[in-house]
Amino acid sequence: METTLYVNTNLATMSSDVSSDYGLVEDGALAINDGRIVWVGELSKLPQQYAEPNCKRIDLEGRLTTPALIDCHTHLVFGGNRAREFELRLNGASYEEISRSGGGIMSTVKSTRELDRQQLLDAALPRLDAMIAEGVGTIEIKSGYGLTVSDELKMLRVARDLGNLRSVRINTSFLGAHAIPPEYADRGNDYITEVCLPAMEQGANEDLIDTVDAFCEGIAFSPAQVARVFDKATELGLSVKIHAEQLSNLGGATLAASYGAISADHLEHLDAAGVDALKEAGSAAVLLPGAFYTLRETKMPPVELLRQAHVPIAIATDCNPGSSPMASLLLAMNMGCTLFRLTPEEVLAGTTCNAAIALNLHEEIGSLEVGKLAELSIWDVDHPSELSYRVGFNPLFKTIRGEK
Ligand code: DI6
Ligand code: FE
């Protein structure tokens, strides 16, 4: 198979083997064979075997190459939208009032149940395309707006359909434990027994689930209920992750870490013990500045403690119709810097190598290293800090993915 060699590019390899910031290699070259990176480094050190005429040579005219971006936490598949609620809140209605009149997550559950598989796919595609247009090559998508066995499975099938329709890797999370639907009001345990666990089992049997997620919060599921969900996931051989410590500290991250969670997400209220638990378990911390922004939160996630503990920090959009109606990972990166005071290098790590850890895909993607899949995004910028610096500007030149 012919090798393709990309030249005349600066490479933000995001590899820990390269000691410079961003793993930056200036005037680099990168060789691809059969969909994998076979050589990467300074052009001046290119081995003879990759020189012309042995390879097809492509000149990137000085552009920046990064690993294709990874959005490791989204609720991209849903019906309807909640713009009317946004409007009501800005006209003085409280979240509780909206929720009591059938709004909030339940309004999205209603709209999602009403759509069939094709309609749900049609609703999700523009959001997916917006992300792909910004250099995203891998997207995690959760269920959690169906909350019946058939509607949860429908959401997961749509997520898989999206991956077949576009050149993008879709990683699915089963979030049956997202909210308690009205038909199970005050009967959360019955909901878990009768809906959540059977849906998980069927989804696993049909290979629709990559990981199991749960929302551990006062307004959602208690740690004891989440433990039931994680016990079942473990029995089925599925990895777990959690929405935890978003609005309060229930110890969800520590619970998830005890199951070897691949990530714990949100984490504004995480304390030092929770950070230690994530460190011990090797879990990633996924920070979601879009939800922090939309809900006008003020409690910052413990970024400095996470740094000191060397917990891998990822950044994602949390794309959902309520708390983060955002389909721009570049904007999430900008917000990670502006709102959470992360550095541009940290947010790029947060959407490449550390996001790969958060999805347990770090053996395959997330950095430009020999042996990894050749999934690259090429940008019309001079320096990687430009990716998180601008707002509302997309400098993507092209994404390379699945090319042999
Ligand atoms: N955390 C969130 O931010 C979303 N779900 C969750 O568990 C909110 C989802 C929504 O409001 O529709
Ligand atoms: Fe979420």
Side-chain angles (χ1 to χ4, degrees):
M1 185 155 303
E2 191 182 25
T3 300
T4 303
L5 181 72
Y6 290 91
V7 296
N8 197 5
T9 175
N10 295 327
L11 305 165
T13 65
M14 307 312 287
S15 164
S16 49
D17 297 344
V18 181
S19 60
S20 53
D21 292 349
Y22 302 91
L24 195 67
V25 175
E26 287 183 277
D27 199 8
L30 186 143
I32 298 175
N33 187 280
D34 200 15
R36 292 202 181 254
I37 299 171
V38 291
W39 195 84
V40 55
E42 288 169 39
L43 179 63
S44 62
K45 298 192 178 141
L46 185 74
Q48 189 56 33
Q49 68 183 110
Y50 299 118
E52 279 180 307
N54 303 335
C55 294
K56 182 168 100 183
R57 200 175 168 106
I58 297 179
D59 186 338
L60 291 175
E61 299 171 332
R63 296 185 177 90
L64 176 76
T65 302
T66 67
L69 302 185
I70 301 168
D71 192 343
C72 67
H73 179 138
T74 86
H75 309 247
L76 187 110
V77 171
F78 57 83
N81 71 69
R82 307 233 289 273
R84 181 70 189 127
E85 237 173 71
F86 175 65
E87 194 171 37
L88 288 172
R89 278 208 307 277
L90 288 166
N91 280 302
S94 73
Y95 189 79
E96 286 71 25
E97 283 163 355
I98 292 168
S99 187
R100 268 198 300 276
S101 60
I105 289 184
M106 283 314 142
S107 87
T108 300
V109 170
K110 187 167 177 290
S111 318
T112 302
R113 287 177 177 176
E114 279 166 6
L115 300 188
D116 66 20
R117 181 167 166 180
Q118 183 63 47
Q119 291 168 321
L120 208 45
L121 185 68
D122 291 342
L125 261 179
R127 295 187 281 273
L128 180 71
D129 286 338
M131 290 190 174
I132 292 171
E134 284 192 349
V136 176
T138 297
I139 303 182
E140 184 258 17
I141 299 180
K142 303 173 194 299
S143 70
Y145 290 120
L147 310 184
T148 65
V149 173
S150 62
D151 289 305
E152 285 294 297
L153 295 174
K154 177 179 71 182
M155 287 189 71
L156 294 166
R157 289 192 185 106
V158 169
R160 289 279 193 245
D161 291 343
L162 289 168
N164 294 329
L165 274 176
R166 293 289 188 267
S167 175
V168 67
R169 176 183 300 93
I170 302 295
N171 190 274
T172 60
S173 296
F174 173 73
L175 182 56
H178 189 198
I180 299 168
E183 60 274 21
Y184 281 93
D186 301 321
R187 294 193 297 127
N189 281 320
D190 292 344
Y191 168 75
I192 291 175
T193 306
E194 293 169 20
V195 177
C196 186
L197 303 185
M200 191 198 305
E201 180 144 18
Q202 200 179 327
N205 288 340
E206 293 181 33
D207 199 21
L208 293 171
I209 302 175
D210 295 319
T211 299
V212 170
D213 196 349
F215 188 19
C216 186
E217 194 58 69
I219 56 165
F221 294 88
S222 68
Q225 290 171 327
V226 172
R228 293 185 57 205
V229 174
F230 286 178
D231 284 339
K232 181 73 175 180
T234 306
E235 185 191 309
L236 293 169
L238 296 167
S239 57
V240 304
K241 60 168 69 170
I242 193 161
H243 280 69
E245 280 58 285
Q246 181 185 7
L247 308 169
S248 62
N249 185 352
L250 297 185
T254 301
L255 173 78
S258 76
Y259 286 83
I262 56 176
S263 75
D265 303 28
H266 283 291
L267 303 178
E268 281 84 345
H269 292 258
L270 186 71
D271 60 15
V275 172
D276 285 346
L278 295 181
K279 177 190 163 72
E280 283 305 309
S283 314
V286 179
L287 305 184
L288 303 166
F292 181 92
Y293 164 85
T294 302
L295 300 177
R296 306 188 79 228
E297 297 286 348
T298 51
K299 177 99 172 78
M300 291 267 282
V303 168
E304 197 47 46
L305 289 178
L306 292 166
R307 278 184 185 131
Q308 283 165 10
H310 300 288
V311 173
I313 299 173
I315 292 284
T317 59
D318 195 15
C319 175
N320 76 68
S323 64
S324 192
M326 173 164 90
S328 170
L329 191 55
L330 292 178
L331 180 57
M333 289 164 66
N334 172 268
M335 288 179 172
C337 295
T338 306
L339 299 175
F340 293 163
R341 311 311 291 164
L342 294 166
T343 66
E345 185 177 3
E346 285 173 323
V347 295
L348 187 57
T351 53
T352 56
C353 49
N354 290 351
I357 293 171
L359 297 179
N360 198 23
L361 291 172
H362 50 291
E363 302 285 333
E364 291 285 75
I365 56 171
S367 61
L368 306 182
E369 289 176 276
V370 169
K372 291 214 172 163
L373 289 170
E375 302 194 2
L376 325 171
S377 289
I378 298 166
W379 308 89
D380 270 314
V381 302
D382 293 325
H383 189 268
S385 58
E386 291 178 56
L387 297 177
S388 49
Y389 153 69
R390 295 190 185 88
V391 180
F393 181 77
N394 179 6
L396 185 74
F397 174 65
K398 75 179 283 198
T399 296
I400 292 165
R401 200 182 165 275
E403 285 183 22
K404 298 290 172 190

